[in-house]
Amino acid sequence: MSALDPFVRAAREVRPSATGRVDVEVIARQAATARSRRRGQLIGGSALVAAVCAALWWGGEPRLESQPKAFVSENSPATPEVVPATAPAPTTQPGVADWSAPVRGPDVVGHRGAHTIARRGGAIATPAGTLWLDGEAEVEVASADVIVHLSSGVAAFDNGDRVVVLGHERFVQVRPEKDGPDEAAVSASATSLARRAESQLLAGNRRAARRTLATLVGEYPKAPEAKTALLDIATISRRLGDEGQAACALTAFVEQWSTDRQASAAQAQLERLPAATCRGLRPR
Amino acid sequence: MTLTVATDVEQMQEAALLSAAQRGDAQALEALVRLHRSSLAAQVAHMTGDPGSVDDIVQEVFIAAVAALPGFRRDAQLGTWLYRIALNKSRTWWKAQQRRKRREQLGTAVAQAQAETPDEQLAHTDHARRLYAALADLPHRYREAFVARHVEGMELAQASEHLGAPVSTVSYRARRAMALLEQRLCEDDR
């Protein structure tokens, strides 16, 4: 018998005064709003870490210590086997993406509600381009975005955007590139260089990939691919033990993309590296 | 044996409802909400001691749960998962109460305990009010361990699972909460 017993008994007798006011429709509506807000917050939120891990993954190197276990799957090959995109291309006119069409292709293994489950190491066609996957992925086709939800692993769009999801319950939103002839032309060239670098990384040729990425940055400094390329150069350089060039790439990133969400993370990385005086992307 | 079979069937039904709700089935979602609403409301009432806030907190718990439902991996039972969300929402509620208390210099909300006679009702209500006023001053981890163990009447292992803390930690926190509450409530009686 404790002195608290009457208090505990009283507490046990506390009942909700009114029940049943829970409105399922309101719950569903507000939950949908909360979900979309959460997705929005994650756009680019961990892109630097993502890019770093992507480059490490593609290079077939050991992963960062901070990387969650879910990223490393026992079934994942050291170098992911990339299956060519054999999925049918979107049937709509160029520039007019049909977001309502279901995502299909030989690597699609099923659908779960609005989500598509794709085979590990496969590729699927989406209105934003071909999505290359490593790790089982659920791809939700939304009104104007492709939402990728991977249980583990790496995914990349063939337009050069890289999508890496560390662990589960992470969403990354990839927007299709804007239309416009000049921008499209630049993007196409930058994209082809980014793809070449990606292939070189997949083949384990990191020095060649770094050269290609440096060319991309030099020729198309304003292209979105150049932004990712700078981060990749930094990552590859660090893996090659070239901290000077890593610092120069990060310095270039911080200077050229100072308002980008990843700038502060890049700055933090930069501060952990030895100081370097740079000429372009190379240390003097 | 009958009870075990019934529980298994309930769990299978819940699992089926959960799968359907994760696929976006509105009816399954409604059924799940209906299935857990009462127990969740009672738990929230015990966590806060404020019956008037229960509906709002329960609504918030379900909104958070439904928003995260596609990513729910069933590492824990749905009830345990909801309990943990309710813990977080209750923490937010307690913080708001403490801010309001400081601002308005008022006591915690008066819990209306249920009892058979008016005298008992009065005594119960007074005890509940004093207990929750004392709980308001405890760190949330102690408060949660106390409510889970002594108000909800959970076994140590069950409380450990619901609170996401080791058994020994839950045991220590609950005992520490008891000691602090006894000290505080006995001081009030003097």
Side-chain angles (χ1 to χ4, degrees), chain A residues 193-274:
Chain A
L193 283 171
R195 287 182 73 176
R196 191 193 305 165
E198 183 187 318
S199 308
Q200 288 163 331
L201 275 172
L202 281 169
N205 196 347
R206 284 171 291 171
R207 288 182 191 281
R210 187 170 63 170
R211 279 196 298 275
T212 307
L213 291 168
T215 305
L216 193 164
V217 171
E219 291 184 15
Y220 308 102
K222 302 286 182 193
E225 289 84 355
K227 184 173 73 173
T228 320
L230 284 171
L231 297 175
D232 284 345
I233 290 170
T235 308
I236 295 167
S237 298
R238 282 179 63 180
R239 298 305 307 170
L240 291 170
D242 188 351
E243 292 192 324
Q245 184 150 7
C248 290
L250 287 170
T251 303
F253 182 89
V254 170
E255 285 173 359
Q256 290 168 29
W257 304 89
S258 58
T259 56
D260 191 86
R261 286 170 186 232
Q262 299 166 61
S264 58
Q267 181 65 45
Q269 292 248 338
L270 185 57
E271 282 164 9
R272 287 198 287 273
L273 291 169

Side-chain angles (χ1 to χ4, degrees), chain A residues 144-222:
Chain A
D145 308 296
V146 172
I147 313 297
V148 183
H149 177 196
L150 291 180
S151 49
S152 67
V154 182
F157 270 89
D158 66 354
N159 65 4
D161 288 325
R162 277 99 196 262
V163 182
V164 180
V165 182
L166 306 176
H168 56 79
E169 295 191 15
R170 291 292 187 97
F171 292 83
V172 177
Q173 203 163 17
V174 180
R175 297 178 188 283
E177 288 166 284
K178 290 174 186 168
D179 295 329
D182 294 334
E183 217 171 300
V186 168
S187 183
S189 307
T191 299
S192 61
L193 283 171
R195 287 182 73 176
R196 191 193 305 165
E198 183 187 318
S199 308
Q200 288 163 331
L201 275 172
L202 281 169
N205 196 347
R206 284 171 291 171
R207 288 182 191 281
R210 187 170 63 170
R211 279 196 298 275
T212 307
L213 291 168
T215 305
L216 193 164
V217 171
E219 291 184 15
Y220 308 102
K222 302 286 182 193

